[in-house]
Amino acid sequence: MRTMLLVEDASFFEKAIVDRLQDIGRHQIMVARNFSEAESCLDMPICEPDLALVDLTLPDAPNGEIVDLCRNRNIPTIIFTSKFDNEVREKALAKGVIDYVLKDTPASLDYVAELLKRLSYNPKIGILILDDSSVDRERIAQITSHHLYQTYQASTPAEALQMLRDHPHIRLVLADYYMPDEDGFAFLKTVRRKYSRERLSVIGMSSLSNSDNRIRFLKYGAADFIDKSYAPEEILLRISLNLDMMDRIAELNTLAMQDALTGVHNRHFLFTKAVKQIESWAHSGNKASWIAVFDLDSFKQINDEYGHDVGDSVLLGFARQLRALAGPEDMIIRLGGDEFCMIFRSETRDSLTLKLAGFMKSLSTHPIRHSGTDLLCQTSVGIAKLEGGEISDALSIADKHLYASKRSGFEMLAVASDG
């Protein structure tokens, strides 16, 4: 478990900070109220903090000595202080502290919390610096290392494109606009043909102030533009803001494709992303792809008799059982209400029929328990082959077979197919 060192002499701030850190999942916190206690904590053999959050002025170390103590132990450090001194701030940042944050508003603590959340997964994020100047590349790399990113460097657009192919975890590029052979604008056009804004963010850089260049860069796919005269804090903030925006878009995209109750895919996913995936399967492999449609028997009766909470439990339980049935490339979709479907990547008709028969048998012996009540999650199913990746026709055929199986009177095992 990650351990954090908090050095804070004011009990009010200590409690507020600890509560906020625990809200974001930082539960292992060592608290020191002065320099001596912090030193004693760090000398303990079991204390290996991955991060320090420190006040700048302490009763026994009023001149920021705590920063040197932490940096000498190679502990990434954030200063959280009520003392604003620009000279002290500049010196602290020059020593490599992650950030210098003032305790001037309640929003400051929120900022620190968001910063800590980002630092926890920044080591998995790649940042690419494209610049023909090795001096500029090294300076930017040193700045980005303060926030623990994995940093890569390229001196030409061709080298940068190869880096992107070799390192798919690169999520943001800092691209110089002016380069001898090919400018950043040409690089940006090439990147946008290969990578969407949701996949890769690009921040343009230039040492020349030219509003036309900024406008062109932003119009053709850059997320931001920054002068090379930037302060280190500014570029780190812009990187964080752009990555945060990408994360929010990814979250919204996930929510748009996900059933809110069960967490499996929804109908929108089936007719957008799943269709494309199925089309790519159409001409690969010797085994066929199939769609199976499930409809829970007596679900309305369960809702009416026990209430919607129990009905929701049945749906959640059924989704869990479908996950156990699914292979690594299979897809589970809730079509709506008590109707689900599964896309099976590669099966023969016989193997799929046997697999579904085993699944139905398992349902009959594994009831869903809710508030002391055991409920059998019974279902009927119809299957159809996915011909040429065409999903609408296959879904319609599977639906017909599903209702044929219901009419046949088989309650637990009712599998129909197009032969």
Side-chain angles (χ1 to χ4, degrees), residues 390-414:
E390 177 52 52
I391 196 168
S392 295
D393 291 344
L395 184 62
S396 178
I397 293 168
D399 262 329
K400 290 177 182 177
H401 294 154
L402 168 70
Y403 288 104
S405 73
K406 281 184 175 294
R407 288 194 300 270
S408 70
F410 288 99
E411 189 174 18
M412 288 305 300
L413 176 56

Side-chain angles (χ1 to χ4, degrees), residues 240-252:
S240 291
L241 288 170
N242 276 281
L243 291 173
D244 284 343
M245 182 63 70
M246 293 172 70
D247 289 342
R248 300 294 179 269
I249 292 171
E251 288 172 9
L252 291 172

Side-chain angles (χ1 to χ4, degrees), residues 164-219:
L164 291 174
R165 288 190 288 269
D166 292 343
H167 304 284
H169 62 284
I170 293 175
R171 297 186 61 202
L172 185 142
V173 181
L174 293 156
D176 187 14
Y177 182 84
Y178 290 104
M179 287 178 285
D181 299 324
E182 185 179 8
D183 64 20
F185 184 67
F187 166 76
L188 180 60
K189 289 194 291 184
T190 303
V191 160
R192 281 294 166 250
R193 286 196 293 268
K194 297 177 179 290
Y195 304 96
S196 68
R197 291 171 181 264
E198 290 78 15
R199 163 65 182 83
L200 185 71
S201 185
V202 179
I203 299 177
M205 302 184 298
S206 177
S207 56
L208 300 176
S209 179
N210 185 319
S211 61
D212 290 339
N213 288 340
R214 288 174 181 270
I215 292 168
R216 288 183 74 206
F217 226 65
L218 293 170
K219 274 186 176 180

